Amino acid sequence: MENINSHLVSSIHFLQQRLDSCFQDEVNEHFLFGSSVRGTILPRRVDEDSDIDYMVVFKNEGDYKPATLLNWLRSFVETTYSRSEIYQSHPTIVLELDHIKFELVPAVQSSLWMDSFYIPAPTTGYMKWMPTEPSRLNDLIENANRNYHYQIKRLIRILKYWNVRNDRVYSSYELETFIGNMTFLGCNMMEDYFYYAVRNLPTYSLPQYKCDKVVSFKEKVEGIRDDYYNKGLKSYALMNLKLLLPLPK
């Protein structure tokens, strides 16, 4: 659980204990997934919507619909965290504490693969459940981070910070997937990885207003690279990048 402090670890352990106590025979397993596991989560002082994804895998022997399992989780958090803010954001139950926000996702085990699950499908679709493999992106990021001098997780956090400051051009999952699949040939320093990743951020299928934000970002970063970095003025390049992406106070 990279980038998670001891206070949050205590909250996670409490949640785990209460789930075990409440559901006992109804749940196969429950676990953290998402950016908190990958070490790519942003702190809440940077991203107020930063959350901890937590999957609860029900046995579902009664072949219940997603709404039933969501209602079970809602009842659980309302009983366990009576003073907290609780609301539904399909397909999750959101539990917001003073220092942390959990997104509890009900799931059922897939019969195909051990690490494959079904979670509630979007309400706009015709399916009740949709497949997901939480470990796939984890493996992609871990492999990329190891192959590229352990710079990829840091790079992801930097670009997620830009993404948050620009009204989330990409979903967090999309952005991490894009970066995890990039081939960083010839990159050595973090600056090299950053310039390469920004240059290769995709704009296909984006609405025009989001595309404009990405193009503007690319042009500004490329300008800094040409005017300073490529001329050996690396300290000036870094200064201008910090102006472009100012650190939070």
Side-chain angles (χ1 to χ4, degrees), residues 97-114:
L97 310 178
D98 290 338
H99 61 290
I100 188 173
K101 181 165 69 173
F102 286 107
E103 287 214 7
L104 303 181
V105 182
V108 295
Q109 184 78 50
S110 167
S111 59
L112 298 177
W113 307 103
M114 285 295 294

Side-chain angles (χ1 to χ4, degrees), residues 13-61:
H13 286 168
F14 177 77
L15 171 64
Q16 292 170 334
Q17 291 169 358
R18 295 302 299 158
L19 282 167
D20 285 336
S21 175
C22 178
F23 289 110
Q24 295 184 1
D25 297 332
E26 285 99 355
V27 167
N28 276 329
E29 59 179 323
H30 49 85
F31 51 86
L32 290 166
F33 71 104
S35 58
S36 64
V37 174
R38 292 189 291 275
T40 55
I41 191 171
L42 294 179
R44 292 195 74 184
R45 68 185 180 87
V46 171
D47 179 9
E48 63 182 15
D49 291 324
S50 186
D51 54 41
I52 304 293
D53 297 310
Y54 202 90
M55 185 172 290
V56 183
V57 184
F58 288 89
K59 293 180 180 178
N60 200 22
E61 294 173 349

Side-chain angles (χ1 to χ4, degrees), residues 90-155:
H90 196 86
T92 70
I93 296 297
V94 179
L95 166 63
E96 189 158 2
L97 310 178
D98 290 338
H99 61 290
I100 188 173
K101 181 165 69 173
F102 286 107
E103 287 214 7
L104 303 181
V105 182
V108 295
Q109 184 78 50
S110 167
S111 59
L112 298 177
W113 307 103
M114 285 295 294
D115 294 329
S116 179
F117 304 91
Y118 288 101
I119 62 174
T123 53
T124 55
Y126 63 90
M127 298 186 301
K128 295 179 182 178
W129 300 96
M130 64 179 186
T132 184
E133 295 181 54
S135 63
R136 175 173 291 185
L137 185 55
N138 297 354
D139 293 341
L140 177 68
I141 299 303
E142 286 296 335
N143 289 335
N145 197 53
R146 183 171 56 252
N147 292 337
Y148 296 115
H149 308 289
Y150 296 92
Q151 299 281 12
I152 300 305
K153 292 184 181 183
R154 183 182 171 204
L155 173 65

Side-chain angles (χ1 to χ4, degrees), residues 126-228:
Y126 63 90
M127 298 186 301
K128 295 179 182 178
W129 300 96
M130 64 179 186
T132 184
E133 295 181 54
S135 63
R136 175 173 291 185
L137 185 55
N138 297 354
D139 293 341
L140 177 68
I141 299 303
E142 286 296 335
N143 289 335
N145 197 53
R146 183 171 56 252
N147 292 337
Y148 296 115
H149 308 289
Y150 296 92
Q151 299 281 12
I152 300 305
K153 292 184 181 183
R154 183 182 171 204
L155 173 65
I156 287 172
R157 291 193 295 268
I158 292 170
L159 289 177
K160 285 175 74 172
Y161 176 52
W162 167 81
N163 195 49
V164 168
R165 288 175 55 86
N166 285 271
D167 301 319
R168 303 177 196 279
V169 171
Y170 308 104
S171 73
S172 179
Y173 183 89
E174 286 175 328
L175 188 55
E176 293 197 39
T177 301
F178 294 149
I179 297 170
N181 280 308
M182 288 181 181
T183 303
F184 295 91
L185 295 177
C187 295
N188 295 298
M189 307 295 291
M190 171 50 65
E191 292 93 331
D192 299 326
Y193 288 96
F194 177 77
Y195 290 128
Y196 182 91
V198 172
R199 192 184 314 122
N200 288 280
L201 286 174
T203 56
Y204 54 83
S205 78
L206 288 177
Q208 190 60 48
Y209 77 98
K210 288 187 175 183
C211 183
D212 291 343
K213 290 184 178 184
V214 177
V215 170
S216 175
F217 183 47
K218 288 186 176 189
E219 289 175 347
K220 290 175 182 177
V221 169
E222 195 67 18
I224 293 171
R225 183 172 180 267
D226 290 341
D227 292 342
Y228 302 106

